[in-house]
Structure formats: C-alpha cells, structure tokens
Amino acid sequence: MIAPALQDDDFLADVARARADAISEKMFVWWLGQSGFLICHRGNCLLFDPYLSDALTKKYAATDKPHVRMTARVIDPARLDFLSAVTSSHNHTDHFDTETLAPIFAASPAMKLVLPAANVDFAVERLGDAARARLMLLTDGQRATVGPFTIETVPAAHEALSPTFAGFVVSVGPFRIYHSGDTVLFPGMIERLRPFGVDLALLPINGRAPERRVAGNLNGVEAAQLARAISARWVVPCHYEMFEFNTASPASFVAECARLDQPGAVVRAGERWTIFPTA
Ligand SMILES: [Zn+2]
C-alpha cells in the first residue's frame, strides 16, 4: 500500500497551516487520490471529486473485478469540516461516493455540492431529500458562485459527450483551475478551454494505453498534449495508483511534458503543492 505524504492528523495540520495564510496570493493544492484534489486560497477550500472510502473495494470484493486499493486513504471525510464547495463530475463511485459525501455534508454544513444538473435525481436518491437545497446544478456553460469560488461547467466525454458528465473550471483569486473529470479528447475541447487561461489542469492519465486499452480517459501523452494545447501553466496527472486493475505509470506523461516543454508536476497523495500567481 502506498503511504500518502501526509495523512490524517498530519494532513489536517498542514491544511490548517495553509489556511491560516489568509493574506498572500497563493493557492495550495493537495491530491487526495484518484481524481480528488483539495484547493485552498486565502483560507477558503474547495474539494474536487473526492473518493475517501472503501466503497468500491467492498462492492467488488467477491467479483472478477476486485478493486484492490493501492494508496491508503489520506483523510476521513468526516473530518473535512472547513469546505465551501465540493464537486462531482459524474455519477461513478470514484467521483460520486455516498460514503464520502454524506460525512462531508454533515461535517461542513455550509458546503455546496456542484454537479451536472442531469444528475440531480441520482444525487437526491443517494444523499436524501434534505441534501437537495445544497446542490448546485449546472448545465454546460453555466456558472455558480460559492464564496470566493466561481465554478463553470465544461463538457466531458467519458468516451462520448453526455450531460451527465462534466469538467469544471474554477476561478478563485487570480487562479483558474481546470478539473476535467473523466474524459477523452473531443472535437472543440481545446477551443473551449484555451480562453480560460488555465493556471492548473488536473487531468486523468489512466486511459487508452496502447497496450492495455482502458476506455474513457486521457492517457499520459494526451494529458500533456492537452495541457500544452490550452496553454496551461501547470498540469498535474491523476486517476492512477488508486486501484490495481486500473492504474498507469506517470512516466509517459512526464516524458511528453518534457518533450513539449510543458510544466507538469507529479505529486504524491497528501502532499502540499503551492502555486503562485504569474508576475
Ligand atoms: Zn473515474
């Protein structure tokens, strides 16, 4: 099992230290495994697509598709009591996990869950009717504001485009963060994303390996190329090292970033990473 750089109490202490810096114009980023990222700016925090349980390992335990966890959980979701917003890009359990979201709803009573409008029935069924007032439902191109965060929905093609899949571009302070959700490249994607001036792109790399075709996501080479094509200042790979059957090495991502002169950062789960504004 891969140990996160920081976990549990140590992780929370690090987040608290970062949040205490409410003045300087920096953004703090932690990968929480799979597609989960916590970002904090001036003490306010947003969490992308958290999967912080063993729901899938339990669900598939006795099947021919065992979801053996590779990286230990960074944090108990019940302890995330400081969140302004959480996203869910689509309904697959590694992006919408009731065992993660229900404790977060209880711990962070002011938090809003941002998700594609097409997924409202699914969300209410899983989280209960009381959660309805805390859902921010967005269709393609719509925007919502939660505290200092403005979240705009962009399309995602988990093989095919669908209103039940989304990516998000979050604006906070001087920063734009693109979280693609699960997606492959699709026509018009680059033209849609480039105008945002993305500072940080968070992209999956587990897909479409030439020798082991896993449908639905970018591979490492494509992730680096997409980041370059939209002129992202930084790109961080994700969606690997969570389940043994569905992982990837970041090596091809790293090599392609180097070839393209695209700044990319491979981060460890639970490790704090700081982005500064452009001068
Ligand atoms: Zn996924």
Side-chain angles (χ1 to χ4, degrees), residues 53-254:
S53 82
D54 280 318
L56 285 166
T57 302
K58 285 184 270 176
K59 180 177 173 187
Y60 289 101
T63 72
D64 59 357
K65 252 204 311 189
H67 282 46
V68 178
R69 189 185 251 276
M70 293 177 70
T71 300
R73 186 180 70 172
V74 172
I75 186 65
D76 177 349
R79 302 185 69 188
L80 298 175
D81 58 1
F82 51 84
L83 300 173
S84 299
V86 177
T87 71
S88 166
S89 64
H90 62 280
N91 288 342
H92 295 164
T93 303
D94 51 335
H95 303 261
F96 186 115
D97 175 30
T98 309
E99 291 187 25
T100 297
L101 293 174
I104 291 176
F105 266 74
S108 281
M111 174 278 279
K112 304 281 194 214
L113 179 65
V114 181
L115 70 167
N119 299 344
V120 59
D121 291 345
F122 179 91
V124 170
E125 183 199 311
R126 294 298 171 97
L127 296 170
D129 213 40
R132 193 183 286 270
R134 296 173 61 185
L135 304 180
M136 303 204 83
L137 303 164
L138 299 180
T139 56
D140 179 19
Q142 273 192 319
R143 253 178 242 168
T145 297
V146 184
F149 300 101
T150 297
I151 304 127
E152 178 167 336
T153 303
V154 294
H158 204 11
E159 238 11 78
L161 289 165
S162 157
T164 61
F165 292 88
F168 300 105
V169 179
V170 171
S171 304
V172 62
F175 301 104
R176 306 281 174 278
I177 306 99
Y178 169 50
H179 186 280
S180 68
D182 281 357
T183 192
V184 295
L185 300 168
F186 55 85
M189 185 185 209
I190 290 163
E191 294 76 5
R192 181 68 183 271
L193 293 169
R194 196 190 287 127
F196 286 104
V198 167
D199 294 280
L200 173 62
L202 305 169
L203 304 177
I205 59 160
N206 67 314
R208 293 175 173 278
E211 72 287 358
R212 178 189 56 92
R213 189 187 154 84
V214 177
N217 272 341
L218 305 170
N219 65 32
V221 170
E222 291 168 324
Q225 291 175 351
L226 176 62
R228 175 83 283 177
I230 65 172
S231 301
R233 278 177 63 210
W234 287 98
V235 55
V236 170
C238 65
H239 217 296
Y240 65 102
E241 293 184 352
M242 180 55 81
F243 300 116
E244 283 181 359
F245 82 101
N246 186 7
T247 187
S249 161
S252 62
F253 166 84
V254 170

